[in-house]
Amino acid sequence: MLFFSYFKDLVGKEVTVELKNDLAIRGTLHSVDQYLNIKLENTRVVDQDKYPHMVIKLSSTSTLQVGYLGVQIVLIICSKLFGISFLTLVLVLHQANFPGVKLVRLGMSRTYVELSVRNCFIRGSVVRYVQLPPEGVDVDLLHDATRREARGG
Amino acid sequence: MSIATGLETLVDQTISVITNDGRNIVGVLKGFDQATNIILDESHERVYSTKEGVQQLVLGLYIIRGDNISVVGELDEELDAHLDLSSLRAHPLKPVIH
């Protein structure tokens, strides 16, 4: 019961849970139960490139600076499809010398990552390690508690 | 016991399950018990490979024994719907070694 109550005290802290399949998930500890099943919130996978299984959404964003009637607007385009069609529209207007439309600058595209799994439940039996925040570890307190438990309560 | 430890908040929601043998099954959670046995409806498996995009195999109604479950994740359906699975490549997950 010692570790159960210890983990209960850690609720709300940021932890990294390493699983027995080498997957490491970082998130805020939401709750823990008697089997040491762990619920994490706002999760992210530590090595996301290697493990997109928690489902990553990759989208490229481009910035587009457009001048219209002397006013410059910076647009951030997220969706690939929308971005391309909009860019074509601007280019066509630009090519056609449509009054006032001017393509000022097309920014480099960036990729950003979103995880479609934000909260997860991890079965206690597959946890290899839980990496704790240093401020969540009170060595003296644990020391006493383990001794007390070993003595039989 | 602390607040909402089990899977009750996920019932009737789309979840993504990673099993001990490294499979990824997505479906609607219909039920569970204290051993984390779960009932999934309208489920499908997502097969990851490095050679081609993610393949989806339709499974239907499934019961997964708790012993075989590693992770249960709540899936953001809106984000998930926008995923381009055909271009997603990854090594299959390793099995759990106890």
Side-chain angles (χ1 to χ4, degrees):
Chain A
M1 284 307 267
L2 173 64
F3 281 93
F4 174 38
S5 29
Y6 176 62
F7 278 118
K8 272 201 291 191
D9 289 341
L10 284 175
V11 164
K13 296 224 163 65
E14 182 102 331
V15 295
T16 305
V17 182
E18 187 183 321
L19 272 51
K20 289 179 185 171
N21 57 8
D22 290 353
L23 187 68
I25 306 170
R26 188 160 176 78
T28 311
L29 190 63
H30 172 269
S31 60
V32 64
D33 67 10
Q34 54 182 333
Y35 308 105
L36 302 187
N37 294 331
I38 289 172
K39 269 176 105 173
L40 293 181
E41 284 187 328
N42 302 316
T43 52
R44 58 180 186 280
V45 174
V46 174
D47 192 351
Q48 276 181 335
D49 294 339
K50 201 171 159 198
Y51 301 108
H53 308 76
M54 300 285 286
V55 195
I56 291 169
K57 181 197 182 192
L58 284 168
S59 5
S60 47
T61 59
S62 333
T63 51
L64 183 65
Q65 210 172 341
V66 183
Y68 181 64
L69 297 174
V71 184
Q72 287 192 4
I73 318 158
V74 179
L75 298 156
I76 297 168
I77 303 156
C78 299
S79 148
K80 212 184 278 175
L81 209 74
F82 175 74
I84 289 166
S85 51
F86 189 79
L87 184 61
T88 330
L89 175 74
V90 173
L91 285 174
V92 167
L93 288 174
H94 180 65
Q95 290 284 311
N97 286 321
F98 191 81
V101 175
K102 192 169 68 161
L103 181 67
V104 181
R105 197 171 63 92
L106 181 65
M108 288 297 289
S109 73
R110 264 178 300 179
T111 18
Y112 71 100
V113 183
E114 269 182 278
L115 219 58
S116 63
V117 176
R118 292 219 185 87
N119 307 318
C120 73
F121 169 95
I122 302 166
R123 202 168 193 267
S125 60
V126 299
V127 175
R128 184 184 288 146
Y129 300 118
V130 180
Q131 294 167 21
L132 310 167
E135 69 274 11
V137 191
D138 184 338
V139 180
D140 293 331
L141 200 83
L142 272 176
H143 212 131
D144 290 345
T146 41
R147 280 210 195 114
R148 223 177 303 126
E149 183 128 316
R151 245 184 276 126
Chain B
M1 200 167 289
S2 52
I3 33 142
T5 350
L7 296 168
E8 49 272 285
T9 54
L10 297 179
V11 171
D12 284 328
Q13 300 219 39
T14 305
I15 58 166
S16 159
V17 179
I18 294 174
T19 59
N20 285 2
D21 56 1
R23 284 195 273 187
N24 182 199
I25 300 170
V26 174
V28 180
L29 181 67
K30 285 295 169 190
F32 68 95
D33 65 8
Q34 72 283 5
T36 347
N37 298 318
I38 62 174
I39 304 169
L40 277 184
D41 198 8
E42 298 167 33
S43 63
H44 65 266
E45 182 183 343
R46 290 186 179 167
V47 186
Y48 289 82
S49 84
T50 46
K51 299 235 162 53
E52 51 189 349
V54 177
Q55 279 191 307
Q56 303 205 57
L57 305 175
V58 176
L59 303 174
L61 184 65
Y62 243 52
I63 296 177
I64 310 174
R65 190 171 157 86
D67 293 350
N68 271 311
I69 292 170
S70 314
V71 183
V72 177
E74 179 187 355
L75 212 60
D76 185 321
E77 280 181 75
E78 206 183 308
L79 266 183
D80 195 59
H82 288 110
L83 264 174
D84 184 14
L85 287 170
S86 60
S87 66
L88 194 61
R89 279 170 180 72
H91 285 283
L93 276 173
K94 284 186 209 155
V96 166
I97 300 162
H98 289 291

